[in-house]
């Protein structure tokens, strides 16, 4: 029997959901227009008044808001309530440019934790579970979000944060962890460490993992499921919209249900901004209709995916999104060809290599170069140079078939690529450094 955290909402008819969304949207647009000068100016510029928005069908009339706007409004130019009503901030990792600061009222935190509780329940979590939260705690939303959701469900919560892998495994065994929450790259690392300690999945009691915050392939899912003896569920979210739990996977494990009673999704053509019909790939845009402190309308995530209302075997009617295929700004153009790191990862795992790799792109003598360092598993290692060269050629050929361009593959010794305890860095584009 499928369990839901909020059955009424999670299995609501489309008609009722649209009604609920419309009511919330109308109120939210008014709240934002009255309280956020930055967005009011954008609306005025576009000639849209709150009265023009009567239902979700009018959503397209509103202006978009982008990361550039968030940076311009830093730190609190988009805050919609007095600071005294806020109880928390979180912030993005800010690898490029200024960090984004997101504010929360107590109600915002509650609704967000509820979304995470839905995700944990969909992964089979109940009050009988022991939930180990190995996402980072702090400004990052991963730790706090899953921690709050786990409390709501009533799981025994282990607030581990990321890192200290030996201790993660000790606690996992001593306290009988059944659900692990962390990034997929850290889950792979924990699986690898378990193996190195001479342990097998039978030595732990894990049954499920809730992994997200970075792109990961189906091949990676299977590899983690095998190494930890679990079912691995995807979870999606972003700081600007709340954090983890914007969307979550269910028992069907095919795409993630969006908590659309809180966040209305749209897919647009990233070049023209035109709204695309269901089933087409494009940039995901969210309108948060319940957030009080930091309510973004039509926020462009830059994540590329497809939306679908196909019937789901879990009984949930919430719209689904596919795994993001990467961010529009993750895509590399190498010798004129569009390349996503996930395509390379798919080939590596299919060919029996580990998910530990590093992609380096450069421009030498006006020509793009693509170098991929791939770690061998101990059994792939050979001390015959000829064998190694042959393996490198075979892998380069398989990648060329996928991408249409030839990479230079370097097989490197086991354990030589730095492991990730949070979001993995898998691409270094040196062209950006020279530009
Ligand atoms: O990564 C929130 C989160 C924490 C989600 C824990 C899931 C689990 P940010 O640091 O703001 O927030 O990064 C958001 O990460 O726009 C996507 O590009 C990427 N991302 C998040 N989840 C997934 C996922 C958190 N399941 C950005 N698959 C988003 C692929 C993901 N990419």
């Amino acid at each position: 029997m499928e369990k839901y955290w909020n059955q009424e909402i999670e299995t609501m008819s489309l008609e009722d959901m649209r009604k609920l969304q419309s009511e919330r949207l109308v109120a939210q647009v008014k709240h934002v227009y009255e309280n956020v000068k930055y967005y009011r100016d954008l609306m005025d510029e576009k000639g849209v008044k709150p009265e023009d928005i009567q239902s979700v069908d009018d959503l397209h009339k509103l202006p978009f808001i982008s990361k550039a706007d968030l940076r311009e409004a830093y730190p609190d130019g988009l805050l919609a309530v007095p600071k005294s009503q806020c109880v928390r901030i979180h912030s993005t990792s800010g690898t490029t440019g200024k960090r984004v600061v997101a504010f929360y009222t107590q109600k915002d935190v509650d609704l967000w934790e509820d979304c995470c509780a839905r995700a944990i329940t969909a992964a089979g979590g109940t009050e009988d579970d022991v939930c180990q939260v190995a996402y980072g705690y702090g400004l990052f939303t991963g730790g706090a979000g899953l921690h709050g959701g786990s409390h709501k469900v009533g799981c025994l919560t282990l607030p581990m944060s990321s890192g200290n892998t030996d201790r993660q495994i000790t606690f996992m065994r001593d306290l009988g962890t059944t659900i692990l929450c962390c990034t997929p790259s850290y889950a792979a690392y924990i699986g690898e460490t378990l193996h190195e300690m001479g342990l097998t999945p039978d030595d732990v009691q894990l049954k499920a993992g809730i992994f997200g915050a970075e792109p990961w392939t189906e091949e990676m899912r299977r590899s983690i499921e095998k190494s930890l003896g679990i079912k691995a569920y995807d979870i999606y979210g972003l700081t600007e919209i709340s954090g983890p739990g914007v969307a979550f996977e269910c028992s069907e494990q095919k795409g993630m249900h969006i908590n659309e009673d809180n966040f209305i999704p749209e897919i647009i053509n990233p070049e023209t901004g035109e709204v695309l019909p269901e089933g087409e790939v494009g940039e995901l845009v969210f309108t948060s209709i319940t957030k009080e402190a930091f309510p973004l309308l039509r926020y462009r995530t830059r994540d590329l995916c497809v939306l679908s209302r196909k019937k789901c075997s879990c009984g949930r009617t919430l719209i689904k999104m596919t795994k993001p295929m990467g961010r529009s700004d993750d895509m590399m153009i190498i010798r004129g060809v569009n390349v996503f790191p996930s395509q390379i990862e798919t080939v590596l795992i299919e060919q029996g290599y580990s998910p530990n790799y590093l992609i380096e792109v450069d421009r030498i003598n006006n020509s793009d170069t693509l170098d991929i360092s791939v770690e061998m598993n101990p059994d792939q290692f050979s001390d015959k140079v000829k064998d190694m060269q042959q393996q490198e050629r075979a892998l380069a050929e398989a990648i060329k078939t996928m991408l249409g361009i030839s990479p230079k593959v370097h097989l490197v010794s086991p354990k030589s690529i730095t492991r990730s305890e949070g979001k993995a860095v898998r691409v270094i584009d040196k062209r950006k450094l020279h530009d």
Side-chain angles (χ1 to χ4, degrees), residues 82 162 174 227 283 299 312 315 329 378:
S162 58
D174 294 350
S227 76
E283 179 179 347
Y299 179 64
C312 183
D329 48 0

Side-chain angles (χ1 to χ4, degrees), residues 13 21 61 74 166 189 196 203 207 209-210 221 224 254 257 273 284-285 319-320 322 357 362 376 381 396 398 420:
S13 71
Q21 287 177 332
K61 295 179 183 163
Y74 176 90
D166 288 353
Y189 182 25
E196 278 169 14
D203 296 306
K207 63 175 192 189
I210 304 178
R221 186 205 307 261
I224 297 172
K254 273 199 202 107
H257 290 284
L284 186 58
V285 170
I319 194 167
K320 277 170 117 174
T322 53
Y357 60 94
D362 204 348
M376 285 172 290
F381 185 73
S420 152

Side-chain angles (χ1 to χ4, degrees), residues 92 135 140-142 146 211-216 234-240 243-244 256 301 303 324 327 423:
T92 56
Y135 285 110
F140 179 52
T141 53
L146 269 308
F211 306 135
E214 61 183 0
W216 54 309
D234 202 352
I235 183 167
Y236 168 88
L238 59 168
T239 315
E240 297 89 317
M256 293 175 273
T301 63
D303 292 322
R327 299 175 74 110
K423 296 190 193 230

Side-chain angles (χ1 to χ4, degrees), residues 1-4 10-11 122 248-253 257 311-318 320:
M1 254 293 276
E2 187 77 31
K3 284 217 169 75
Y4 308 102
E10 292 174 60
T11 62
F248 62 95
E249 222 169 35
C250 61
S251 53
E252 197 177 81
Q253 289 186 298
H257 290 284
K311 196 166 188 275
C312 183
S313 61
C314 75
R316 288 179 183 78
T317 49
L318 297 171
K320 277 170 117 174

Side-chain angles (χ1 to χ4, degrees), residues 400-414:
K400 184 180 173 202
T401 307
M402 166 70 101
L403 303 180
I405 54 167
S406 289
K408 201 180 247 173
V409 168
H410 313 272
L411 290 177
V412 299
S413 50

Side-chain angles (χ1 to χ4, degrees), residues 134-334:
Y135 285 110
Y137 279 62
L139 286 173
F140 179 52
T141 53
L146 269 308
H147 178 98
S150 171
H151 265 231
K152 282 211 167 185
V153 173
C155 303
L156 172 61
T157 308
L158 274 51
M160 303 293 296
S161 198
S162 58
N164 207 334
T165 309
D166 288 353
R167 190 178 63 190
Q168 299 274 1
I169 292 174
T170 306
F171 269 73
M172 187 179 285
R173 299 187 73 204
D174 294 350
L175 290 146
T177 300
T178 52
I179 300 179
L180 174 65
C181 305
C182 60
T183 59
S185 51
Y186 194 39
Y189 182 25
I190 292 177
E192 185 183 11
T193 310
L194 197 74
H195 182 75
E196 278 169 14
M197 289 166 119
L199 301 170
T200 71
D202 290 340
D203 296 306
V204 292
Q205 294 181 44
L206 286 177
K207 63 175 192 189
I210 304 178
F211 306 135
E214 61 183 0
W216 54 309
T217 56
E218 282 304 322
E219 291 72 22
M220 179 111 163
R221 186 205 307 261
R222 281 191 285 277
S223 139
I224 297 172
E225 288 189 330
K226 195 161 146 227
S227 76
L228 291 172
I230 57 169
K231 268 190 102 169
Y233 297 87
D234 202 352
I235 183 167
Y236 168 88
L238 59 168
T239 315
E240 297 89 317
I241 297 301
S242 63
V246 171
F248 62 95
E249 222 169 35
C250 61
S251 53
E252 197 177 81
Q253 289 186 298
K254 273 199 202 107
M256 293 175 273
H257 290 284
I258 296 175
N259 282 311
E260 56 177 325
D261 54 321
N262 295 306
F263 322 108
I264 306 179
E266 295 171 281
I267 291 286
I268 62 161
N269 175 331
E271 311 286 321
T272 62
E274 173 205 2
V275 179
L276 298 176
E278 195 189 310
E280 289 199 21
V281 186
E283 179 179 347
L284 186 58
V285 170
F286 280 113
T287 295
S288 45
I289 46 176
T290 48
K291 276 280 263 316
E292 292 179 330
F294 197 66
L296 298 184
L297 306 181
R298 300 197 89 201
Y299 179 64
R300 294 184 59 157
T301 63
R302 295 179 297 176
D303 292 322
L304 301 173
C305 72
V306 177
L307 294 179
S308 160
R309 282 213 183 265
K310 251 197 239 135
K311 196 166 188 275
C312 183
S313 61
C314 75
R316 288 179 183 78
T317 49
L318 297 171
I319 194 167
K320 277 170 117 174
M321 61 182 271
T322 53
K323 259 181 187 307
M325 296 152 191
R327 299 175 74 110
S328 46
D329 48 0
D330 260 2
M331 189 186 79
M332 302 172 281
I333 303 182
I334 305 173

